[in-house]
Amino acid sequence: MKKTLLAEFTAREGAEDEVSRLIRDYAGKVREEEGNLAFDVYTKASGPRAYWIFEVYRDEDAFQAHLKAPYGGPFNTALAPLIEEDASVLTFLDPAA
């Protein structure tokens, strides 16, 4: 079964360019993962500091491999002081139909 989630965070004022650069670089790496099916980065039209990232992995094993990727920890460490939340807020999703 596919593993699907939505990650949300808000860039701090003044950190928008750095957050954009970090997420762009990270997205490129995640999209190359064998088990990644989607890593779509969005900002809210009425509030471009708010990020929503839609992620889909082939299955739980692919998601666990994603979590163990060597670039994930450094990305999260670099991102943490640049966002309003303590960390990305994750919402796991199940298909409704």
Side-chain angles (χ1 to χ4, degrees), residues 14-94:
E16 298 93 341
D17 290 345
E18 183 65 10
V19 169
S20 178
R21 183 192 66 75
L22 281 171
I23 194 64
R24 191 172 43 253
D25 292 347
Y26 183 63
K29 293 173 183 171
V30 174
R31 290 173 182 147
E32 292 178 2
E33 294 174 10
E34 180 183 335
N36 178 260
L37 303 177
F39 193 89
D40 299 329
V41 180
Y42 298 91
T43 57
K44 189 174 177 182
S46 62
R49 290 188 305 117
Y51 280 80
W52 293 340
I53 303 165
F54 180 72
E55 304 178 46
V56 182
Y57 299 88
R58 181 186 59 235
D59 53 24
E60 180 66 30
D61 288 343
F63 179 65
Q64 291 303 317
H66 163 70
L67 294 177
K68 294 174 185 167
Y71 41 83
F75 167 76
N76 286 315
T77 298
L79 184 68
L82 303 174
I83 63 174
E84 293 180 356
E85 301 79 6
D86 292 334
S88 295
V89 177
L90 304 181
T91 303
F92 291 91
L93 305 171
D94 289 327

